[in-house]
Amino acid sequence: MSSNEAAKISVRNLNAWFGEKLVIRDIDIEIPEKQATAIIGPSGCGKSTFIRCCNRMHELVPGARVQGSIQLDEESIYDRSIDPVLLRRRIGMVFQKPNPFPSMSIRDNVLSGLKLTKSGRLKEADSIVENALQQAALWDEVKDRLNDPGIGLSGGQQQRLCIARALAVEPEVLLMDEPCSALDPVATARIEDLIHGLKDDYTIVIVTHNMQQAARVSDRTAFFLMGELVEYRGTKRMFTTPKDKRTEDYITGKFG
Amino acid sequence: MKLNTRRGRYTETVFQFLCLLAIALPLVLLVLLLADVISDTHGRLTWDFLTSYPSRKAERAGILPGLVGSIYLISLTAAMALPIGIGAAVYLEEYDKRGKLAALIELNISNLAGVPSIIYGLLGLELFVRIIGLGSSLLAGACTMTLLVLPIMIMSSREALKTIPQSFREGAYALGATRWQTVRQVVLPLALPGILTGAILSISRAIGEAAPLLVVGALAYITFLPSGLDSPFTVLPIQIFNWVSRPNQSFLENAAAGIVVLMAAMLLLNSFAIILRNRLHKRRYW
């Protein structure tokens, strides 16, 4: 990374386990602020585990363990003084499968982060809902039916609703774990467009198994293989002139 | 290959018939039982029967204290067992899912669910009636019944919590919710219909229990309504038991009428559970 880019998240010697199984090993990576960073690699390479370490979701799985350091704005997130609950309000997450809360309306889903945590910002609920839905490019489609159940939307709309829900909490970083893998190409394209706009305001880390997607949306790409970080460079250079033989084999489709 | 003969077809028909038989048998038995009991009442089942106190004269005896006692007892039991049962299930399922303590407790709970009800009666007699000194009161009876239904209630509540997909919990955690906020606002509202269905079914089992309450000391002949938690009481099954054990034929008619009342109460509770479960399925989106 060139020196004029500030690192939003910097990771040193990160190892993570499920029980006895080491799933990521010795990861060192610096994720730049207000850019989109893609994590690619075959299934089971540890890419999802990696981003779940960044918002301390990994440790919620019984038997899961983390070692090493992750710094968010030079603050160590695994420090004892850090409350993971508060950390997750600064680092939002969107999951593989859209998971709007089934008992809530569209509006309540957007506000769910604030309602769950009893945020004082609920006083401006209406403008928060509109703002978050605008940012997630969903406002025009749902503005006349905000009180309908969120679950009644299409898959792609549900995923944008989940993005709006994450944005309403005003995070600094947005982690996306294969956000389009359950969506059709049209819905995927909409989410990708959205990411282009969002990176002006947020630091985005997107896990994807789709290399074209990584090439389309990201500024930098990291290639993970069997729990290790093989290569991490600017996306264009990564896809045109990979340094590592394994990266080249993967992006040219020799395995994966 | 011929298309009009299939080797599995005969077996399939036989299997289908056997399954139909399996469902028809209990239904027919239940209808026969009900018909028999109703015919045994010989018209004793009147409004007066529901609103009168027991009497030495069979034709003047009624079931009011038993009916009211049962309602009081079940309401008290539900009021105690619901919060404890749901709390225990939430702890086991949401807070200590793979802990050693949870595994030990889980083993014990499934064993407790199989303990004969009279054993709970003995425990209730020793613990609530004697050591705590509640006497043979409504409260002691309800406490004993609470112990009896708790294992089943905890297990069914856990099952209901298990059906809530992990992705909703993760969605809430990722928004910065604490575990309690997640349980309270996301998991419990989704699991509640399932929890209530299980709770009603376990409580409707308790309404038919006589053995533990006999041990605790519920009275069989009582001519007043329970006036408070410390009051003596009786319940429907005990009143029925008392009438059945009398030699006089007309008391048997009273017993039959009592059984109809008890069955009606149970069916009412069960159908309430079914309505709740149907609503759950309607609201199930995942």
Side-chain angles (χ1 to χ4, degrees), chain A residues 1-255:
Chain A
M1 193 179 337
S2 57
S3 55
N4 61 354
E5 290 173 326
K8 184 71 180 171
I9 299 174
S10 62
V11 178
R12 289 271 165 275
N13 294 322
L14 187 75
N15 290 280
W17 290 262
F18 281 115
E20 292 302 303
K21 193 171 175 267
L22 182 62
V23 284
I24 57 177
R25 59 184 85 205
D26 290 332
I27 303 288
D28 283 295
I29 190 169
E30 307 245 307
I31 291 166
E33 187 165 18
K34 296 190 178 169
Q35 290 194 17
T37 302
I39 315 271
I40 60 167
S43 314
C45 68
K47 50 194 195 300
S48 289
T49 305
F50 169 71
I51 65 163
R52 291 169 68 93
C53 287
C54 295
N55 67 345
R56 296 191 60 175
M57 292 281 284
H58 177 64
E59 68 204 49
L60 291 176
V61 179
R65 203 152 56 83
V66 182
Q67 206 178 63
S69 113
I70 298 182
Q71 293 191 318
L72 176 69
D73 289 335
E74 288 163 12
E75 196 175 6
S76 184
I77 68 166
Y78 280 95
D79 194 89
R80 245 181 225 188
S81 63
I82 298 285
D83 181 352
V85 167
L86 297 176
L87 172 78
R88 291 185 200 121
R89 293 178 201 171
R90 290 177 62 191
I91 305 187
M93 189 165 194
V94 176
F95 297 84
Q96 204 165 355
K97 211 177 138 231
N99 58 349
F101 298 121
S103 51
M104 297 182 194
S105 66
I106 294 171
R107 179 188 150 88
D108 286 348
N109 259 292
V110 177
L111 294 173
S112 56
L114 305 175
K115 284 194 168 165
L116 280 165
T117 59
K118 306 224 156 53
S119 163
R121 291 175 52 230
L122 277 171
K123 273 172 270 169
E124 321 136 47
D126 289 334
S127 66
I128 290 171
V129 170
E130 176 165 358
N131 212 333
L133 286 170
Q134 291 277 16
Q135 284 192 78
L138 189 60
W139 175 251
D140 291 331
E141 291 158 62
V142 300
K143 64 182 175 201
D144 301 320
R145 46 174 173 147
L146 290 174
N147 292 317
D148 287 6
I151 209 81
L153 298 173
S154 72
Q157 288 173 326
Q158 284 186 26
Q159 192 63 301
R160 277 179 281 148
L161 179 60
C162 291
I163 293 173
R165 177 177 78 181
L167 296 179
V169 186
E170 298 191 333
E172 299 153 38
V173 179
L174 192 59
L175 305 172
M176 307 178 100
D177 188 0
E178 301 194 22
C180 304
S181 64
L183 305 182
D184 65 61
V186 177
T188 300
R190 298 212 59 166
I191 304 259
E192 288 179 6
D193 284 346
L194 185 56
I195 293 171
H196 279 293
L198 288 177
K199 69 186 184 189
D200 293 338
D201 300 309
Y202 304 91
T203 302
I204 292 175
V205 184
I206 175 169
V207 165
T208 174
H209 56 223
N210 178 336
M211 282 169 285
Q212 287 75 27
Q213 181 169 69
R216 284 190 298 259
V217 302
S218 71
D219 303 291
R220 298 180 69 82
T221 299
F223 173 52
F224 276 53
L225 186 62
M226 293 163 78
E228 284 177 69
L229 176 60
V230 174
E231 192 166 346
Y232 177 44
R233 307 170 71 190
T235 298
K236 277 213 183 85
R237 284 192 299 153
M238 173 86 121
F239 282 101
T240 49
T241 52
K243 270 193 210 150
D244 196 289
K245 182 76 173 61
R246 291 169 292 174
T247 316
E248 191 182 337
D249 287 350
Y250 182 69
I251 61 181
T252 54
K254 287 201 179 134
F255 74 97

Side-chain angles (χ1 to χ4, degrees), chain B residues 55-67:
Chain B
S55 162
R56 244 163 285 214
K57 295 195 180 95
E59 60 277 9
R60 283 179 51 195
I63 199 134
L64 185 65
L67 187 58

Side-chain angles (χ1 to χ4, degrees), chain B residues 12 19 39 58 61 63 69 112 123 138 150 160 170 183 190 194 211 220 228 285:
Chain B
E12 198 168 302
C19 290
S39 79
I63 199 134
L112 280 176
L123 176 67
L138 188 60
L150 263 180
E170 291 201 326
V183 168
L190 292 175
Y285 302 108

Side-chain angles (χ1 to χ4, degrees), chain B residues 54-123:
Chain B
S55 162
R56 244 163 285 214
K57 295 195 180 95
E59 60 277 9
R60 283 179 51 195
I63 199 134
L64 185 65
L67 187 58
V68 173
S70 272
I71 293 171
Y72 282 4
L73 185 82
I74 289 309
S75 316
L76 259 179
T77 304
M80 289 190 284
L82 265 175
I84 302 175
I86 296 175
V90 165
Y91 177 78
L92 289 172
E93 205 50 46
E94 306 291 327
Y95 283 83
D96 192 15
K97 209 165 179 179
R98 277 215 208 151
K100 291 220 168 74
L101 179 69
L104 187 73
I105 294 174
E106 188 171 354
L107 185 72
N108 276 299
I109 289 175
S110 30
N111 281 334
L112 280 176
V115 170
S117 58
I118 195 150
I119 309 284
Y120 284 99
L122 291 170
L123 176 67

